[in-house]
Amino acid sequence: DVKVTQSSRYLVKRTGEKVFLECVQDMDHENMFWYRQDPGLGLRLIYFSYDVKMKEKGDIPEGYSVSREKKERFSLILESASTNQTSMYLCASSPILTDLGGKLFFGSGTQLSVL
Amino acid sequence: QKEVEQNSGPLSVPEGAIASLNCTYSDRGSQSFFWYRQYSGKSPELIMSIYSNGDKEDGRFTAQLNKASQYVSLLIRDSQPSDSATYLCAATKTSYDKVIFGPGTSLSVIP
């Protein structure tokens, strides 16, 4: 079974702190994604990566950055956390195969609260 | 205009009925379409994928795609209380592209 592991299930941070959210997948998938999920707004894409050291902005990249130094690991960084970044953060991975594009495997999520 | 749109619901159906969930997308370049199910407090999980026009059946689930109308649907036959969840429609252009989700439709199956 594909396993996508997010480092923390719950996280509480202070406004202005630099926050790192880590995600590791064990299936050698090329693509990795970071989404945030808020009530009424659904899943919104922050960043994605289709290869090591490659990154593409999603729909809401402002206030975030990412790092992918190894294929299995994709980190989301909140440079200076703000209260409007309180949310559920979901990491996902997917393989690059013709008929499997878009088949995402999600981690269990990190509920981040910024106080 | 959002790229992928769904009726937010909630949609309520009695046990044993057919639940019909709808989705429209705006980017004609989208090639692959997916339905994910998300139980409360859990992560989304893939239940159906469809790539060509027509119907695709898997057990009690049928996905339908009409690229000319930019419309995707999911039918759940013989709905069960365990089907109560939020259903997310998603679309992507290629395997190297972003995957965009709709806001989800909440389904409640009443025993």
Side-chain angles (χ1 to χ4, degrees):
Chain A
D1 281 353
V2 175
K3 191 165 185 182
V4 180
T5 303
Q6 294 185 232
S7 53
S8 304
R9 185 71 178 95
Y10 298 97
L11 208 53
V12 180
K13 296 293 182 180
R14 297 283 182 189
T15 301
E17 279 193 77
K18 191 168 186 176
V19 181
F20 293 86
L21 301 183
E22 305 288 345
C23 177
V24 178
Q25 51 98 0
D26 66 358
M27 282 301 291
D28 202 35
H29 286 170
E30 290 82 1
N31 287 346
M32 296 190 75
F33 304 80
W34 275 106
Y35 291 88
R36 63 178 282 178
Q37 187 170 33
D38 302 285
L41 296 177
L43 279 165
R44 292 181 293 168
L45 181 64
I46 304 171
Y47 270 97
F48 72 103
S49 169
Y50 56 85
D51 200 355
V52 175
K53 297 190 185 296
M54 303 301 291
K55 61 183 179 184
E56 295 284 342
K57 292 181 179 179
D59 297 320
I60 52 164
E62 296 78 19
Y64 303 94
S65 63
V66 290
S67 173
R68 194 164 180 203
E69 296 296 320
K70 293 185 177 181
K71 189 175 185 179
E72 67 271 19
R73 186 180 297 269
F74 193 35
S75 303
L76 180 68
I77 303 154
L78 286 65
E79 298 292 343
S80 177
S82 63
T83 55
N84 63 13
Q85 292 178 311
T86 292
S87 185
M88 171 65 77
Y89 289 87
L90 288 163
C91 175
S93 71
S94 73
I96 294 182
L97 292 173
T98 303
D99 64 342
L100 290 177
K103 289 192 176 181
L104 303 185
F105 298 85
F106 283 89
S108 56
T110 296
Q111 179 62 53
L112 173 66
S113 297
V114 182
L115 306 178
Chain B
Q1 181 186 10
K2 290 183 179 177
E3 293 187 49
V4 178
E5 301 203 52
Q6 300 177 248
N7 292 330
S8 60
L11 174 66
S12 292
V13 299
E15 184 174 354
I18 295 175
S20 178
L21 304 163
N22 303 316
C23 170
T24 58
Y25 61 95
S26 60
D27 189 340
R28 285 197 174 273
S30 298
Q31 296 294 324
S32 304
F33 305 89
F34 307 88
W35 285 99
Y36 287 79
R37 177 178 62 200
Q38 186 175 25
Y39 292 115
S40 180
K42 300 293 185 182
S43 297
E45 57 177 335
L46 180 69
I47 54 172
M48 289 290 288
S49 58
I50 188 164
Y51 307 96
S52 54
N53 283 329
D55 295 359
K56 179 181 178 182
E57 187 174 318
D58 183 1
R60 294 186 297 111
F61 298 96
T62 299
Q64 299 174 316
L65 173 61
N66 183 327
K67 290 187 177 180
S69 301
Q70 296 175 248
Y71 178 86
V72 191
S73 67
L74 179 70
L75 299 177
I76 306 175
R77 290 183 300 281
D78 188 24
S79 295
Q80 300 297 310
S82 58
D83 295 325
S84 297
T86 296
Y87 289 80
L88 303 167
C89 176
T92 189
K93 293 181 182 179
T94 72
S95 292
Y96 294 87
D97 213 341
K98 59 184 179 180
V99 180
I100 299 299
F101 284 80
T105 298
S106 175
L107 172 67
S108 180
V109 180
I110 310 301

